[in-house]
Amino acid sequence: NNNKRHMFMKKCDLHEEEFPSEKVCADVVEAILGLVYIKFGIEESRVVACELGVSFTSHIPYVTSYGGIHVDPTLLSFSQNFLGVETFNNKQLLVEATTHQTCLHKPVPSYQRLEWVGDAVLCLAAREWLFCRDDNHSTSVGELVVLESTLVCNEALACIGFMKGLHRLIDHRDAKLP
């Protein structure tokens, strides 16, 4: 790791006293991307990330490899009401989003990959909301972390799911689950 640091310093023509730690440099890149996101949105953040050399191709469609799966009309209707949308481009994703990993022989993967993305979306939304509400900068980062954790914790999300009746649509093969 120290060798990488020296190679980077040489490449950038930096001297030891001019070089902040990798953590500080990474934090500043994140801060710049955070600033661009807060002020201009996700698309502009992608542009700036690309300009900084952190490139993620956008708009790659998620392709399901399990086409032809029947989507239960109850699931479709519930999802339309729950999400407030009328149509879905890929209804099979609704099946994936409600399939528990105990469904071993089902041709649809479990919800875990979608959950992983959803977790990041929730955290981003919570952070943006908390950041914008704290316009006088009176909340420390530690306090913001606690508030974010409270907003996106399993208990809060489970409560929403139960109140909306989502638990009745989860496809599972575990007798311990309701």
Side-chain angles (χ1 to χ4, degrees):
N1 200 14
N2 211 13
N3 195 23
K4 280 186 190 178
R5 179 182 169 100
H6 289 297
M7 286 175 38
F8 179 78
M9 288 173 52
K10 187 175 179 181
K11 182 178 178 182
C12 295
D13 195 30
L14 294 172
H15 302 285
E16 188 68 39
E17 64 276 359
E18 299 171 345
F19 192 75
S21 72
E22 288 178 3
K23 171 77 169 110
V24 169
C25 288
D27 288 349
V28 171
V29 169
E30 291 171 345
I32 290 168
L33 291 172
L35 163 80
V36 174
Y37 172 78
I38 291 295
K39 291 295 182 183
F40 305 105
I42 192 70
E43 288 306 319
E44 193 63 29
S45 298
R46 285 187 179 128
V47 169
V48 171
C50 189
E51 289 173 2
L52 290 172
V54 182
S55 179
F56 302 103
T57 305
S58 62
H59 305 297
I60 299 173
Y62 181 71
V63 179
T64 56
S65 58
Y66 50 85
I69 298 296
H70 172 71
V71 179
D72 185 296
T74 305
L75 175 59
L76 183 58
S77 175
F78 175 87
S79 300
Q80 289 168 325
N81 291 328
F82 186 79
L83 301 172
V85 297
E86 291 185 30
T87 60
F88 291 92
N89 292 338
N90 190 339
K91 293 179 181 109
Q92 287 82 10
L93 286 175
L94 295 173
V95 177
E96 182 176 338
T98 57
T99 299
H100 189 265
Q101 56 267 30
T102 56
C103 296
L104 298 175
H105 301 293
K106 195 170 181 178
V108 176
S110 78
Y111 57 68
Q112 291 176 309
R113 288 174 53 88
L114 292 173
E115 174 196 3
W116 176 69
V117 172
D119 182 57
V121 170
L122 276 169
C123 288
L124 180 60
R127 288 178 180 194
E128 179 180 9
W129 185 77
L130 290 166
F131 183 87
C132 292
R133 290 186 55 89
D134 187 34
D135 53 355
N136 62 357
H137 308 290
S138 62
T139 311
S140 72
V141 172
E143 292 169 320
L144 290 170
V145 168
V146 170
L147 290 168
E148 174 195 354
S149 297
T150 303
L151 289 171
V152 301
C153 71
N154 285 343
E155 292 82 5
L157 298 174
C159 182
I160 291 167
F162 282 120
M163 286 180 2
K164 299 287 188 175
L166 182 61
H167 59 288
R168 291 189 287 271
L169 299 169
I170 299 171
D171 189 4
H172 63 87
R173 304 294 184 269
D174 186 344
K176 292 179 260 167
L177 294 174

